[in-house]
Amino acid sequence: MRDTYAAFQAGIKPAWKISIFYGDYDGELSVEYDGIEYSVYRTYIEGDNIELYLRKDAGTWQAELT
């Protein structure tokens, strides 16, 4: 919850949260989903999967992913 509040304070407005197999993710900072490019602004490992939190302004947000 604290991460969500901090993100909103920083002006980050999430578009999607997707979950993929951890082995398929190689630290990419942008993702194309349904023909639209998104920035990955946060990650969360959950078992064998990783959750990617995406926002629409791909390429403009540079952050250290956790």
Side-chain angles (χ1 to χ4, degrees), residues 1-65:
M1 187 63 146
R2 186 173 37 171
D3 290 344
T4 302
Y5 180 71
F8 279 113
Q9 277 191 319
I12 299 171
K13 297 179 182 162
W16 291 97
K17 176 184 88 170
I18 60 173
S19 181
I20 62 172
F21 175 63
Y22 181 76
D24 290 338
Y25 183 68
D26 195 27
E28 294 86 357
L29 294 178
S30 64
V31 172
E32 185 174 325
Y33 178 72
D34 203 22
I36 301 171
E37 190 173 357
Y38 295 92
S39 291
V40 178
Y41 71 90
R42 182 177 185 266
T43 60
Y44 180 75
I45 298 171
E46 181 74 32
D48 289 340
N49 293 324
I50 186 166
E51 294 177 351
L52 305 178
Y53 292 79
L54 311 175
R55 66 186 246 170
K56 285 188 179 181
D57 59 344
T60 62
W61 176 255
Q62 296 295 319
E64 188 172 316
L65 300 176

